[in-house]
């Protein structure tokens, strides 16, 4: 039976909230001192181990995301709910796990794809990719100057919108030698818009009667992060998922030339370009699934594990988007991010509907 640790007696005046333990986010600012929130944060001892009810809630949500009843949008919604109410008790751990889990999930999806179909999808998306990347970077430069934002923040948000969201920002940031606060602003902007896109795109696609191929291509071009691209496409259909994943990963390879161009443009010397090696793992998995018949039975298992991994990834991402993170970005970066996103989304949608 759980034995509650005896709290320190309360003072006559309203006490200040206790600081969050290491590795945890602070609870939301509202109602921190009420009995309910104190109960969530009060340590309890079971079999010699301390835990809080807040941690129990997180684990229950996490376990639910492993079940067939969870989907990427539901997982993201649960993470957002957690972040806006009791907070994420495992911020450090989830932040470290998110990137690796996404990479392994993308590789796993490769075991369900055909190389010939992927090549065809890549051919269809190459022109859209080149035009949209350089058009977004140019537009971002113009709008960013108009808004009076710092050039590093402008370039990071533009690259995140143009290429592949947080992965592009994480790769470009060290090349720019960007400050931590500049990275945080760019990542916060992109992650919030990712969450909106994951919920908004599938209903729009159905309302416009888009084909699987059209929707997958649109997701790959107009949604920032690979996780949200795959999540939205998976909700639309298997063919949309195959097209979206292939085109998005081909797009992500542009991190390499854009990083080199960034180092030259901003006159940065001695920087190391970060190569997204996991994309080659995806290609290898796809080739194994296409050309090695003995590996066919492995495909459904790996794809199922990959989809579970993606669902958990989006839960972790949502759990990191607290109200404090959203507010800390400020209005101008959101204006830049939204303008770029609206232009690339509507422009690519118009072209895809009339040409694909």
């Amino acid at each position: 039976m759980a034995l509650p640790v005896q709290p320190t007696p309360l003072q006559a005046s309203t006490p200040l909230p206790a600081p969050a333990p290491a590795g945890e986010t602070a609870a939301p600012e509202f109602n921190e001192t009420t009995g309910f929130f104190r109960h969530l944060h009060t340590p309890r001892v079971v079999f010699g181990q301390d835990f809080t009810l807040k941690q129990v809630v997180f684990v229950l949500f996490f376990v639910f995301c492993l079940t067939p009843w969870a989907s990427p949008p539901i997982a993201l919604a649960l993470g957002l709910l957690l972040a806006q109410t009791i907070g994420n008790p495992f911020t450090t751990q989830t932040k470290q796990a998110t990137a690796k889990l996404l990479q392994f999930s993308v590789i796993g999806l490769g075991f369900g794809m055909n190389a010939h179909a992927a090549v065809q999808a890549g051919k269809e998306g190459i022109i859209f990719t080149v035009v949209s990347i350089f058009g977004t970077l140019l537009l971002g430069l113009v709008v960013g100057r108009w808004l009076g934002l710092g050039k590093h923040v402008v370039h990071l948000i533009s690259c995140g919108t143009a290429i592949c969201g947080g992965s592009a920002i994480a790769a470009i940031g060290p090349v720019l030698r960007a400050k931590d606060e500049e990275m945080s602003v760019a990542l916060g902007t992109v992650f919030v818009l990712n969450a909106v896109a994951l919920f908004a795109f599938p209903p729009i696609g159905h309302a416009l009667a888009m084909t699987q191929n059209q929707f997958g291509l649109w997701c790959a071009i107009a949604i920032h992060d690979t996780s949200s691209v795959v999540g939205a496409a998976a909700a639309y259909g298997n063919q949309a998922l195959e097209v979206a994943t292939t085109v998005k990963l081909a797009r992500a390879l542009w991190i390499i030339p854009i990083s080199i161009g960034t180092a030259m443009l901003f006159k940065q010397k001695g920087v190391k370009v970060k190569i997204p090696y996991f994309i080659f793992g995806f290609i290898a998995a796809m080739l194994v699934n296409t050309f090695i018949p003995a590996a066919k039975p492995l495909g459904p298992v790996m794809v199922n594990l990959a989809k579970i991994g993606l669902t958990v990834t989006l839960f972790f991402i949502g759990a990191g988007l607290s109200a404090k993170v959203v507010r800390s970005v400020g209005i101008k970066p959101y204006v830049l991010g939204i303008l770029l996103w609206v232009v690339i989304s509507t422009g690519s949608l118009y072209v895809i509907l009339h040409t694909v």
Side-chain angles (χ1 to χ4, degrees), residues 129-130 133-134 137 155 159 163 171-172 175 250-265 273-276:
T129 295
V130 174
I133 285 177
F134 288 100
L137 292 176
H155 192 64
C159 288
I163 307 173
I172 300 294
V175 175
R251 192 182 188 89
L253 287 172
W254 280 84
I255 287 175
I256 301 170
I258 294 299
S259 295
I260 295 172
T262 296
M264 296 172 61
L265 180 65
V273 175
K274 187 176 180 180
I275 300 175

Side-chain angles (χ1 to χ4, degrees), residues 9-325:
L10 299 177
Q11 303 296 324
S13 59
T14 302
L16 294 173
E24 296 190 10
T25 53
E29 295 175 3
F30 53 89
N31 291 332
E32 284 183 327
T33 58
T34 64
F36 175 72
F37 279 92
R38 281 192 177 280
H39 193 58
L40 284 171
H41 293 79
T42 300
R44 298 168 182 276
V45 180
V46 175
F47 301 119
Q49 298 294 322
D50 290 347
F51 73 94
T52 64
L53 289 181
K54 176 167 112 168
Q55 293 171 331
V56 172
V57 172
F58 181 94
V59 171
L60 290 175
F61 281 8
F62 170 77
V63 171
F64 175 77
C65 290
L66 301 176
T67 69
W69 300 291
S71 65
I74 290 176
L76 181 62
L78 288 176
L80 290 170
L81 175 64
L82 193 76
Q84 308 310 315
T85 54
I86 63 177
N88 179 1
F90 302 108
T91 302
T92 301
Q93 294 88 338
T94 55
K95 184 177 180 180
Q96 293 173 346
T98 297
K100 294 296 182 185
L101 189 57
L102 174 61
Q103 291 170 7
F104 286 124
S105 298
V106 167
I107 293 172
L109 289 174
F111 284 98
M113 298 187 181
N114 182 278
H116 303 297
V119 169
Q120 183 60 36
K123 287 180 179 178
E124 289 183 355
I126 186 65
I127 296 178
F128 291 106
T129 295
V130 174
V131 173
S132 61
I133 285 177
F134 288 100
T136 301
L137 292 176
L138 180 60
L139 180 62
L141 177 64
V142 173
V143 176
R145 283 184 175 178
W146 174 64
L147 290 171
L149 287 169
K151 59 182 181 180
H152 283 183
V153 170
V154 170
H155 192 64
L156 288 171
I157 293 176
S158 300
C159 288
T161 304
I163 307 173
C164 56
S167 299
I169 293 170
I172 300 294
V175 175
L176 275 178
R177 294 193 172 97
K179 299 177 182 177
D180 288 343
E181 54 268 28
E182 293 171 332
M183 292 285 289
S184 297
V185 166
L187 288 169
T189 302
V190 165
F191 284 151
V192 169
L193 296 179
N194 268 325
V196 175
L198 180 60
F199 292 110
F201 271 51
I204 293 174
H206 287 300
L208 296 175
M210 297 180 74
T211 66
Q212 295 275 317
N213 187 46
Q214 287 175 327
F215 186 80
L217 189 56
W218 186 42
C219 283
I221 293 171
I223 301 180
H224 308 74
D225 243 34
T226 304
S227 56
S228 292
V229 169
V230 176
Y236 206 78
N238 289 332
Q239 186 183 349
L241 174 62
E242 183 171 336
V243 171
T245 305
T246 303
V247 174
K248 191 63 178 180
L249 293 183
R251 192 182 188 89
L253 287 172
W254 280 84
I255 287 175
I256 301 170
I258 294 299
S259 295
I260 295 172
T262 296
M264 296 172 61
L265 180 65
F266 287 85
K267 297 181 173 60
Q268 303 286 7
K269 297 180 180 180
V271 295
K272 185 177 179 181
V273 175
K274 187 176 180 180
I275 300 175
Y277 289 106
F278 74 96
I279 296 175
F280 302 110
F282 168 81
I283 295 172
M286 187 169 52
L287 293 175
V288 167
N289 182 64
T290 305
F291 298 108
I292 302 180
K296 287 290 184 182
L298 180 65
V301 176
M302 295 300 295
V303 171
N304 186 53
L305 290 175
K307 289 182 177 179
I308 293 173
L310 174 68
T311 302
V312 174
T313 298
L314 287 165
F315 170 63
F316 287 169
I317 290 174
L321 284 175
S322 66
K324 181 178 180 181
V325 171

